[in-house]
Every structure is written in C-alpha cells, then in structure tokens.
C-alpha cells in the first residue's frame, strides 16, 4: 500500500486523458475487497469491523458468511466526501455519522474520503494511518483546491478506479453535509440507472436546466464515465470555476444528465438558528462546526439509544 504521489503537478488539469492512467492513487486497504463482497451496509462500517478483526484470514471468513446471507443489492452507490487532509477531527465525526447510520436495505453503499495529493509529510503519515485503519481514503492526482478541478478529478477517476466493480451511482458530497444514506437510496430505487443527475436543484439564468448544489449530488455511472472521457470540458477550461455550477454546465452543453431530479426541500442548508431540521431529510448542509453536528445527531436521535452507566 505504497502512498505514492505522482511527481509533477496539475496533471489532471493539463492532460488528463493520458495521465489519468496514473492520476489516482487509492488506498485500497481492507475495505475495497471487503466492500465488494456484496455488503449491503455502509462500506465504512464493514471496513471498521474487518479492520478490528483478527487478521487476513478472519476477514475472508467473515466476508464469505456475509455474502451468503445478503440478498443481491438493487443498486449500488459510491459516496465521495471531498475533504482535505488536515481536517482530521471533522473526518472523524463524518466517518462516525456514516458508520452509525442504519444500513440501506438491498443496496451496496461505499463511502470514501477524497483528497488531492497529500503533500505535507506529517499528513502523509497520519493519513496513511487512517487508510490502514479504515481503508476509506482516496488520493487523487491534483493539487488541493475546491474550484480548480478537484470535482473533475474525482468524477473522472472513479470510472477507472472502480472499473472492476462499477457502481450504479456516484455521489459527490462535502464534509459539512450530513447525508442520510437510507433516505437517499430509497429515492434512487425508483429512478432510472442511466443519465441521472440528482440533488438540490438550483436554477441559473441562461441555463436550460438546473444544476445541483455542491452540498451533494448524484450522477449515474454512465455520466461519470462520460465526464472521464469528455475532452471538451478541458478544452473549454471548464474545470475552473464553482464546481457545482460547472458540472451543470458540462452536462447541459452535452445534453447529459437529462434524468434530472431536484430533491428540495429534503436537501437544505441548516439555518443560523438550527431550527429548520426536517424528519424526512436526505441531506442537511452547512454543518460547519461541532455544535451544528451535535444538533444534527440530537435531532435525528442518533445517540438516543445510549444508556447512561452509573458507577456503583
Ligand atoms: C485555458 O487556460 C489556459 C491557462 O490559463 C489558457 O492559456 C487558455 O487560453 C485557456 N483556454 C480557453 C479556451 O479559455
Ligand atoms: C426522535 O425521537 C422522538 C421520540 O421518540 C420522536 O418523536 C421523533 O420523531 C424522532 N425524530 C426523528 C427525526 O426521527
């Protein structure tokens, strides 16, 4: 599991098609094997349990048993949480938020934390530990950024990274979004598996169709595959700019993502006063500090089942 970083910068922006062959480095620690064995829970959860197990042989046995007892999934979803290496505390909270959710029935859902290259030597060590423990980290060959091509690097790397076992849907979300995976999966069950672009729709002047807000959006696998080969996006420098708006522009210009679904009001920004949570939430965004995460866990009864223990 070498953490290898391509030597020169800006591959993805400058010459992605050839260089994408080396553009992404993934920490495929126990999770990928595990998660591809027909899990129907969240990948992170499975990873954690496997990592905590006795060793490689233990994993194999557990995976086989799980495979036998699971029904065939109706759909599969890769959730990429775009974050940056130094956000350890946030990532911890987000990872727990995913791990402790009830699994989505009859679905294969894997969650990965996505960075550009981890340059800092200290971060390389610490992120390597996370990768060893959780196996849920993906490092892309880009320089860390938000609106200079990271989303493009992500969407265009995924089809190749997971070519052996593609997902039906690929999601991009952020580390200030609390995503309720089962609610999203239930929404996706009834949707087509092709040409999908779904999220919090945002109409922009001049654009024929809404784009999806960066808090979290889903494209079907064919759309991600198209992005990975669409030279026109790069020729127009359309990786530069607000990432969510740009994704909408690529798809609009190419006539892609025509199965477009706006999940407002079930996706929303949390208000300043934190008083607009709703029980049917799919995703709530702007959880920018621990207080707001705590409010979300409280509202959604995440910790409600825990019993107090009193010392004798
Ligand atoms: C894209 O950006 C590069 C570098 O900034 C610039 O040289 C080039 O002219 C731009 N191309 C277009 C089509 O805007
Ligand atoms: C949380 O639990 C309370 C008490 O059981 C219940 O009334 C409420 O609907 C639950 N909230 C959500 C979001 O499920």
């Amino acid at each position: 599991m070498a953490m290898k970083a391509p030597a020169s910068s800006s591959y993805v922006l400058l010459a992605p098609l050839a260089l994408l062959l080396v553009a992404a480095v993934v920490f495929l620690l126990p999770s990928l094997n595990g998660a591809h064995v027909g899990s129907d829970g969240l990948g992170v959860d499975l990873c954690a349990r496997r990592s905590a197990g006795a060793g490689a042989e233990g994993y194999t046995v557990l995976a086989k048993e799980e495979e036998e007892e699971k029904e065939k999934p109706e759909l599969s979803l890769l959730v990429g949480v775009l974050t940056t290496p130094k956000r350890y505390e946030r990532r911890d909270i987000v990872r727990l938020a995913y791990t402790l959710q009830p699994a989505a029935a009859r679905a294969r859902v894997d969650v990965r934390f996505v960075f550009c290259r981890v340059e800092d030597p200290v971060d390389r060590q610490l992120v390597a530990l996370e990768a060893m423990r959780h196996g849920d980290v993906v490092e892309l060959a880009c320089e860390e950024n938000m609106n200079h091509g990271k989303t493009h690097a992500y969407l265009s790397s995924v089809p190749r990274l997971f070519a052996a076992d593609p997902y039906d849907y690929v999601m991009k979300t952020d580390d200030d979004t609390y995503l309720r995976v089962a609610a999203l999966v239930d929404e996706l069950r009834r949707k087509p598996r092709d040409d999908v672009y779904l999220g919090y729709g945002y109409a922009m002047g001049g654009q024929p169709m809404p784009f999806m807000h960066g808090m979290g959006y889903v494209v079907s696998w064919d759309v991600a595959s198209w992005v990975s080969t669409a030279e026109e996006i790069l020729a127009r420098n359309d990786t530069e700019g607000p990432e969510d708006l740009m994704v909408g522009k690529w798809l609009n210009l190419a006539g892609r993502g025509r199965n477009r679904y706006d999940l407002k009001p079930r996706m929303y920004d949390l208000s300043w006063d934190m008083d607009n949570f709703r029980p049917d939430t799919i995703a709530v965004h702007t959880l920018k500090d621990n207080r707001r995460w705590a409010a979300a866990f409280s509202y959604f009864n995440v910790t409600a089942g825990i019993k107090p223990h009193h010392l004798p």
Side-chain angles (χ1 to χ4, degrees):
M1 68 119 248
M3 289 178 61
K4 100 184 140 54
S8 80
S9 55
S10 306
Y11 282 170
V12 171
L13 293 179
L14 296 178
L17 291 181
L19 287 164
L20 270 177
L21 294 174
V22 293
V25 179
V26 199
F27 301 112
L28 302 176
L29 282 163
S31 69
L32 255 191
N33 300 329
H36 283 221
V37 187
S39 68
D40 85 353
L42 294 175
V44 173
D45 180 43
L46 289 170
C47 299
R49 279 192 282 132
R50 292 221 172 86
S51 308
E57 287 190 20
Y59 302 154
T60 313
V61 172
L62 180 58
K64 274 191 186 134
E65 283 168 2
E66 282 184 7
E67 190 171 35
E68 278 160 15
E69 72 192 28
K70 301 297 181 194
E71 300 167 64
K72 191 175 167 356
E74 277 172 24
L75 64 89
S76 56
L77 166 69
L78 175 70
V79 178
V81 180
L82 272 59
T83 179
T84 55
K86 292 198 190 305
R87 295 164 73 85
Y88 297 102
E89 182 183 359
R90 174 65 60 79
R91 200 149 58 242
D92 232 29
I93 293 171
V94 175
R95 186 178 278 123
L96 286 172
Y98 282 108
T99 304
L100 295 173
Q101 287 187 38
R106 300 181 308 287
R108 172 167 73 101
V109 180
D110 293 323
V111 179
R112 294 290 179 272
F113 293 92
V114 180
F115 317 107
C116 287
R117 264 192 300 279
V118 184
E119 309 272 11
D120 180 89
V122 173
D123 288 333
R124 294 199 69 77
Q125 289 299 321
L126 300 184
V127 168
L129 281 185
E130 264 186 84
M132 291 172 74
R133 179 65 180 83
H134 299 288
D136 58 1
V137 171
V138 174
E139 182 186 24
L140 303 170
C142 44
E143 279 179 63
E144 203 47 70
N145 71 82
M146 187 160 93
N147 288 324
H148 304 287
K150 185 171 180 178
T151 295
H152 185 265
Y154 167 63
L155 287 177
S156 57
S157 299
V158 158
R160 191 173 36 80
L161 283 174
F162 300 96
D165 199 0
Y167 294 87
D168 294 313
Y169 299 105
V170 180
M171 179 167 202
K172 179 259 153 184
T173 186
D174 288 338
D175 64 7
D176 61 348
T177 297
Y178 181 52
L179 173 68
R180 297 176 82 219
V181 174
L184 174 65
V185 164
D186 283 341
E187 203 56 45
L188 289 171
R189 272 184 226 288
R190 308 187 288 267
K191 300 289 189 275
R193 300 286 183 260
D194 288 319
D195 211 22
V196 168
Y197 179 34
L198 164 150
Y200 175 110
Y202 213 98
M204 275 291 282
Q207 294 283 326
M209 292 176 85
F211 74 91
M212 301 300 158
H213 190 286
M215 70 171 74
Y217 51 83
V218 175
V219 296
S220 48
W221 186 260
D222 59 308
V223 170
S225 299
W226 172 78
V227 169
S228 72
T229 58
E231 297 190 50
E232 61 204 77
I233 296 172
L234 298 140
R236 289 192 310 257
N237 283 346
D238 268 354
T239 55
E240 292 291 319
E243 59 91 17
D244 46 5
L245 183 59
M246 298 316 284
V247 173
K249 182 181 174 192
W250 311 336
L251 300 186
N252 283 351
L253 285 175
R256 305 265 166 175
R258 281 163 302 179
N259 296 317
R260 214 167 279 204
Y261 303 97
D262 180 1
L263 300 187
K264 281 201 301 292
R266 297 179 65 200
M267 296 179 74
Y268 53 94
D269 286 335
L270 184 59
S271 71
W272 178 255
D273 294 328
M274 305 193 295
D275 58 0
N276 62 332
F277 284 115
R278 27 185 311 144
D280 65 351
T281 298
I282 289 174
V284 49
H285 175 240
T286 66
L287 304 185
K288 291 194 185 294
D289 57 34
N290 290 357
R291 205 173 124 259
R292 293 167 78 81
W293 278 95
F297 293 139
S298 167
Y299 178 83
F300 294 108
N301 292 329
V302 172
T303 52
I306 196 160
K307 302 265 188 305
H309 285 271
H310 298 291
L311 289 172

